[in-house]
Amino acid sequence: MLRYFPKINMELVVWVAGLIYLAIIHPGEHLPNFCLAKLVGLSGCPGCGLGASISHIFHGEWQESWESHKLGGLVLFALVLRIIQLIKLYHIPLKPVK
């Protein structure tokens, strides 16, 4: 019998699901805010706008991405590299179970 469900890395699932979510939504829509700093009433969060910036990149809106957050492209690149690293690290080939 083959092992069909290898050990699943939750970090990998979260990063992939997050990027899929950002690719599906349109950043111009009024969506829930997940920024913890804004939820507790703080202003000046350095990460605010990153999600919108990445979503703009997925939609090909380069200028809007740059205006949302200057580091959106760099963060997207880093996340894709991390996803590749996790896939390589946790890839378990299908093999017979004894």
Side-chain angles (χ1 to χ4, degrees):
M1 176 160 202
L2 295 177
R3 181 185 302 175
Y4 291 105
F5 299 104
K7 193 174 186 178
I8 296 174
N9 180 281
M10 286 309 296
E11 181 186 0
L12 178 62
V13 170
V14 168
W15 289 133
V16 170
L19 289 182
I20 290 171
Y21 171 75
L22 290 174
I24 291 172
I25 67 163
H26 193 278
E29 298 173 0
H30 296 288
L31 298 167
N33 191 350
F34 297 112
C35 178
L36 294 177
K38 281 193 177 178
L39 291 176
V40 297
L42 301 174
S43 63
C45 174
C48 280
L50 275 173
S53 178
I54 292 171
S55 186
H56 282 299
I57 289 172
F58 283 134
H59 290 90
E61 300 165 348
W62 308 106
Q63 184 64 33
E64 291 86 352
S65 172
W66 182 256
E67 291 170 1
S68 293
H69 201 288
K70 307 292 187 242
L71 298 177
L74 184 62
V75 170
L76 177 59
F77 180 72
L79 285 175
V80 169
L81 286 180
R82 180 64 180 158
I83 289 169
I84 291 169
Q85 181 184 37
L86 289 170
I87 289 171
K88 287 180 179 179
L89 186 64
Y90 289 99
H91 175 68
I92 301 172
L94 295 175
K95 54 186 168 186
V97 176
K98 294 180 183 181

